[in-house]
Amino acid sequence: MNTSARRQVKEIVEQMIKEQIQSRSLQRQKPLVVANWKMNMSLEKALHFLNSVQSDPQEGTVVICPPYPLLYPINIAMKKLQTGVQLGAQNVHWKDHGAHTGEVSVGMLQEVGCNFVLIGHSERRMAGESEEAIQHKVKQVLQSGMYPIVCVGENSEEFKQGLTSQIVKQQIEAALKNLPNISNMIIAYEPVWAIGTGQSATPYQAEKVHQTIRQSIHDLHGSIAQRIPILYGGSVHAENARSLAAYENIDGVLVGGASLEVKSFQSIIRSFNKELGSA
Ligand code: PGA
């Protein structure tokens, strides 16, 4: 290839990259801030919390994932208070009904007002949840019209060995392959070493992994990847939310510890709404 042909190819590639970046900016969505209460909160505390947290759908979406027994009363309270906050669950089974002691189905979650559900959180993967189970759950949730929030992320050993990209690609592929329609899909990147440790990934580290995740989704499902929200989770708090929100591929956050206090959760919502609310 002569020099002028090489220059032409370079220009075309640069133009393509520019267009891709522009299309991502244009398609950047309103922020999504999700609270994962894990096995915390009482009904009384939860109701107090709901009284204080508002969400304006014009600015972004706020979702609370309480423990199962709180879903029903919280749904009633949310309807009364009209806070704009949405309800999610922390887990689900992939079957409709049957002899599955201790499990709940998609239909049961919908009956109590859940639109969102976490799938494959690392605390569940550590308790033995397999990639196969995660795939069944994702399929079932998508079929129902609910929004699955699929959690992926490397552990501390994998991080130290530089295996982050490889691990998240594997997890994305396992969860998202062979799905006919992923338009409701939400991904949360949660490095296991950052969860509950106070040691968050830097916004730049998170952005890089989010780019890898978006590329993996693109490899499997094409251009819809640009519209899939990718959240960051792992020691998100009031102080680091603003700088996370500034990054192009960080569309929101999944918050554990800091979502249990009204003040810190409100501050995280404000940070994301300020940064992305006008998108
Ligand atoms: P954390 O938890 O914010 O307490 O680190 C996040 C999560 O596990 O979803």
Side-chain angles (χ1 to χ4, degrees):
M1 205 189 287
N2 65 31
T3 326
S4 115
R6 212 176 283 144
R7 194 180 313 123
Q8 254 186 347
V9 170
K10 195 170 166 249
E11 276 169 14
I12 292 170
V13 171
E14 277 171 0
Q15 184 57 29
M16 278 168 63
I17 292 174
K18 225 166 152 186
E19 278 168 14
Q20 256 193 355
I21 291 171
Q22 273 169 357
S23 85
R24 173 74 197 128
S25 316
L26 287 175
Q27 293 182 48
R28 210 175 175 197
Q29 301 182 5
K30 301 218 180 288
L32 178 54
V33 176
V34 183
N36 175 11
W37 283 354
K38 308 190 181 186
M39 201 171 71
N40 294 299
M41 282 281 193
S42 63
L43 180 55
E44 194 187 336
K45 261 183 96 178
L47 294 178
H48 169 71
F49 188 101
L50 282 180
N51 261 312
S52 320
V53 175
Q54 292 281 335
S55 167
D56 179 355
Q58 294 299 322
E59 294 199 313
T61 305
V62 175
V63 181
I64 291 178
C65 303
Y68 285 146
L70 300 188
L71 288 172
Y72 179 70
I74 287 185
N75 182 36
I76 304 276
M78 277 176 168
K79 279 187 190 153
K80 259 198 206 142
L81 294 168
Q82 304 235 324
T83 56
V85 176
Q86 303 227 32
L87 198 54
Q90 298 175 19
N91 188 26
V92 67
H93 197 270
W94 63 87
K95 289 273 177 68
D96 285 335
H97 54 82
H100 303 286
T101 304
E103 301 286 354
V104 303
S105 70
V106 161
M108 292 168 182
L109 293 180
Q110 286 180 311
E111 240 185 329
V112 292
C114 286
N115 281 325
F116 297 79
V117 56
L118 302 179
I119 297 180
H121 189 282
S122 66
E123 285 152 18
R124 298 213 56 82
R125 289 181 192 255
M126 278 186 272
E129 186 157 289
S130 67
E131 299 282 19
E132 206 187 353
I134 291 169
Q135 215 201 1
H136 288 317
K137 291 179 181 197
V138 171
K139 218 176 239 169
Q140 180 78 347
V141 169
L142 285 174
Q143 266 169 15
S144 73
M146 282 174 74
Y147 295 84
I149 303 174
V150 177
C151 305
V152 297
E154 80 287 2
N155 64 29
S156 131
E157 207 42 54
E158 292 158 345
F159 175 70
K160 280 184 205 144
Q161 288 177 25
L163 296 174
T164 302
S165 297
Q166 193 182 317
I167 298 295
V168 296
K169 272 188 207 162
Q170 278 166 7
Q171 291 173 337
I172 289 287
E173 189 168 323
L176 271 68
K177 67 180 179 203
N178 303 328
L179 295 171
N181 180 0
I182 62 154
S183 53
N184 277 6
M185 180 67 70
I186 298 163
I187 303 292
Y189 167 55
E190 296 206 303
V192 180
W193 49 269
I195 296 176
T197 59
Q199 188 202 342
S200 165
T202 66
Y204 180 72
Q205 276 173 329
E207 166 69 16
K208 284 287 165 204
V209 182
H210 285 212
Q211 285 174 7
T212 303
I213 291 172
R214 205 173 294 288
Q215 186 58 50
S216 306
I217 305 172
H218 188 274
D219 294 346
L220 291 165
H221 292 280
S223 60
I224 195 169
Q226 296 296 331
R227 290 196 281 113
I228 303 296
I230 305 178
L231 318 180
Y232 169 77
S235 296
V236 174
H237 45 77
E239 288 74 34
N240 62 8
R242 191 78 196 263
S243 42
L244 284 162
Y247 277 83
E248 193 74 34
N249 283 283
I250 302 179
D251 302 307
V253 275
L254 177 53
V255 191
S259 73
L260 297 170
E261 295 300 329
V262 170
K263 267 197 177 157
S264 52
F265 192 55
Q266 273 174 332
S267 161
I268 292 167
I269 296 170
R270 271 199 306 272
S271 296
F272 267 84
N273 288 356
K274 252 190 216 148
E275 202 63 46
L276 289 178
S278 54

